[in-house]
Amino acid sequence: ANDRETAEQRMTEVCELLQTSIGYYDWVGFYFANEAERTLHLKAFAGEPTDHTVIPFGKGICGQVAESNKNFVVADVKAQTNYIACSIYVKAEIVIPLFKDGKNIGQIDIDSHTADPFSEEDERFLEWVNEQVAAIL
Ligand code: SME
């Protein structure tokens, strides 16, 4: 239990660093999968608190990434039909799966108040961030 608390504290620090240092990262969180329940659970975040701390696989952008194992870059959230709105200010979102020993165990989720802000550079950077986080889990 102590090890997990430490990992969650470190992930919170990662969220805070990303959210404060990158202007268009307005909300940053890590969700992790409960495979038996087929749900995602919010374990660390920076930004406004969200009601969506538990998300079923398949639901929203996050739930789709839990099943696809692929990056999901949303330039315009209004164009998405399977989307869970957390804030009226959010215009775009990026979700990158987090792999541990080749298995999709969770994801980093970033919301932006800026329209279409995410590039391939963000994808490569966040893949790297997730590799660093996987190493402390
Ligand atoms: N928008 C996400 C839900 C999580 S909130 O962005 C924090 C989705 O559609 O899965």
Side-chain angles (χ1 to χ4, degrees), residues 27 31 50 52 55 59-63 82-86 93 109 111:
W27 188 93
Y31 286 92
T50 176
H52 304 287
I55 298 174
K59 287 275 183 87
I61 309 304
C62 295
N82 188 359
Y83 171 71
I84 302 164
C86 283
E93 178 162 5
D109 174 21
D111 285 341

Side-chain angles (χ1 to χ4, degrees), residues 55-121:
I55 298 174
F57 282 18
K59 287 275 183 87
I61 309 304
C62 295
Q64 291 176 77
V65 169
E67 292 184 328
S68 72
N69 310 322
K70 293 217 165 63
N71 296 350
F72 200 154
V73 182
V74 180
D76 174 10
V77 297
K78 287 202 173 71
Q80 295 294 317
T81 50
N82 188 359
Y83 171 71
I84 302 164
C86 283
S87 149
I88 55 165
Y89 301 111
V90 174
K91 293 194 170 128
E93 178 162 5
I94 186 170
V95 179
I96 308 289
L98 190 155
F99 298 97
K100 175 83 177 171
D101 302 325
K103 195 172 155 27
N104 177 3
I105 61 164
Q107 51 193 236
I108 189 167
D109 174 21
I110 298 177
D111 285 341
S112 184
H113 300 174
T114 303
D116 195 6
F118 300 115
S119 67
E120 285 181 24
E121 211 180 315

